Amino acid sequence: MTAVPMEGQPSETTSAASGGGRGPKPRTSRVGKDPRVLPYLLVTPLAVFIVGLALVPAGFTLVESFFTVNALDPPTRFSGLANFQHLFANPAIRHSIGNTLLYVIIGVALSTALGIAMAVVLQRKFWGRSAVIALIVLPWALPGVVEGLVWSGIYDPNSGLLNSFLTSVHLIDNYQVFLGQHGLLTIALIEIVQVWQMTPLSTLLILAVLQVIPDDIYEAARLDGCNAWSAFRYITLPLARAGIAIAMVQAVVATLNVFDQPYVLNGAATTGVSLTMQTYFISFQNLDFGQGYALSLLITVVTVLVSLVVVRAVYRKVEF
């Protein structure tokens, strides 16, 4: 016989459903107890991916650069600093260092200067601004090999656009071979292609910083009699230092590790070969992987050091 609860007295079912001190309490996950754990859980897959893709090969390169790893001279054996000594004694490496230095100086200077100029132009809204930005991004979005193929057609000695233009304006009498003939000319022509690719990213990075500068600052400067050049020099440049520093760092990384454009445009010719190309030649043509590891390690260290110098010299924290 089932007992009917009196009026005002909770039933057993109601008491059990509401807890009533009986039955197991609902469990709360650790994430619910400590919300600080969730960000680490979300970042962990990416961290594992970065460690496996970048840090593990970097550690392997660091170790193997002190060993003789040559398929033509087995077995692998410890050689200390011998790989680095052979690299610095190699005339081709010293020549590549000079070429890469020119790539860095010219590429970083031009891409940064053009990026600042284009970002200032795009800072103010105008009709068709979105379309212009989309067109600017295209050179950066294209792979380096594709850009090299496009510009190799422009530099072609038989039917290239450059020869056609110079002939039409009577600067030259007949078609010329530009690449591979003179070292500085070859580097300049290759650098044009690289700057064409790097400038869009520099523009976007600097433009992103310029967009957060309040218009009130420029308005106050105009009321104080500040002209356009003074506003650019004393307002735009100082406040855009963060974007300029990032743009210069990405240009440093791209120029120190340039491979696609020189290889596609100039092949293995010594007139424009870079350090990264030498890494490829030493490792996969000479099969001397020990020296290839050592040169890769040197390029990585130089890239980090130069990037730190650029950030230290250019970057300034700005508060609006």
Side-chain angles (χ1 to χ4, degrees):
M1 186 173 181
T2 305
V4 179
M6 297 178 62
E7 185 178 356
Q9 180 180 357
S11 64
E12 294 183 0
T13 305
T14 307
S15 299
S18 60
R22 295 186 296 274
K25 294 182 179 180
R27 295 182 179 179
T28 305
S29 65
R30 185 172 180 177
V31 176
K33 291 182 178 179
D34 190 0
R36 293 175 297 179
V37 177
L38 180 60
Y40 295 99
L41 293 177
L42 297 177
V43 172
T44 297
L46 180 61
V48 173
F49 179 77
I50 293 176
V51 169
L53 187 66
L55 297 184
V56 171
F60 183 79
T61 300
L62 176 62
V63 173
E64 293 294 320
S65 62
F66 297 98
F67 286 80
T68 297
V69 186
N70 194 326
L72 303 178
D73 185 22
T76 299
R77 56 193 181 275
F78 180 76
S79 59
L81 299 177
N83 289 326
F84 300 94
Q85 293 173 353
H86 292 319
L87 288 175
F88 288 111
N90 190 343
I93 298 297
R94 294 198 297 266
H95 183 73
S96 301
I97 291 175
N99 292 342
T100 305
L101 184 62
L102 289 176
Y103 286 138
V104 172
I105 295 175
I106 299 173
V108 174
L110 285 181
S111 63
T112 304
L114 292 174
I116 293 173
M118 296 172 68
V120 170
V121 173
L122 295 172
Q123 184 179 8
R124 296 188 177 277
K125 295 182 179 180
F126 55 87
W127 186 86
R129 177 171 173 264
S130 300
V132 172
I133 294 176
L135 291 175
I136 288 176
V137 173
L138 284 179
W140 171 66
L142 291 176
V145 174
V146 175
E147 292 183 343
L149 293 174
V150 171
W151 282 86
S152 64
I154 296 176
Y155 294 149
D156 188 88
N158 298 315
S159 58
L161 181 62
L162 180 60
N163 269 306
S164 177
F165 172 75
L166 294 178
T167 305
S168 63
V169 297
H170 305 290
L171 291 178
I172 58 176
D173 296 330
N174 48 28
Y175 280 25
Q176 304 290 328
V177 178
F178 297 107
L179 294 171
Q181 298 299 312
H182 305 285
L184 291 178
L185 178 60
T186 300
I187 291 175
L189 293 176
I190 294 174
E191 198 57 62
I192 290 175
V193 182
Q194 195 177 19
V195 170
W196 185 66
Q197 183 187 32
M198 294 188 302
T199 300
L201 181 57
S202 299
T203 301
L204 295 179
L205 292 172
I206 299 172
L207 179 62
V209 178
L210 296 183
Q211 293 297 307
V212 300
I213 299 178
D215 293 334
D216 297 342
I217 298 178
Y218 291 102
E219 184 65 27
R222 282 193 294 269
L223 294 177
D224 290 338
C226 183
N227 56 29
W229 169 249
S230 297
F232 171 76
R233 181 180 178 183
Y234 295 108
I235 298 177
T236 302
L237 281 181
L239 297 182
R241 276 178 174 266
I244 295 174
I246 298 174
M248 293 182 68
V249 168
Q250 69 86 22
V252 167
V253 174
T255 50
L256 277 173
N257 296 274
V258 61
F259 177 87
D260 297 338
Q261 294 90 344
Y263 189 75
V264 174
L265 290 170
N266 204 38
T270 58
T271 50
V273 66
S274 65
L275 278 175
T276 307
M277 292 176 63
Q278 288 291 356
T279 303
Y280 170 76
F281 296 148
I282 292 173
S283 300
F284 298 102
Q285 290 188 359
N286 301 341
L287 298 180
D288 193 340
F289 293 100
Q291 289 192 32
Y293 288 134
L295 186 54
S296 299
L297 179 62
L298 289 176
I299 294 174
T300 302
V301 172
V302 171
T303 302
V304 173
L305 292 178
V306 175
S307 300
L308 290 176
V309 170
V310 169
V311 172
R312 188 70 179 269
V314 179
Y315 178 76
R316 297 291 186 278
K317 185 177 181 180
V318 177
E319 296 181 359
F320 299 108

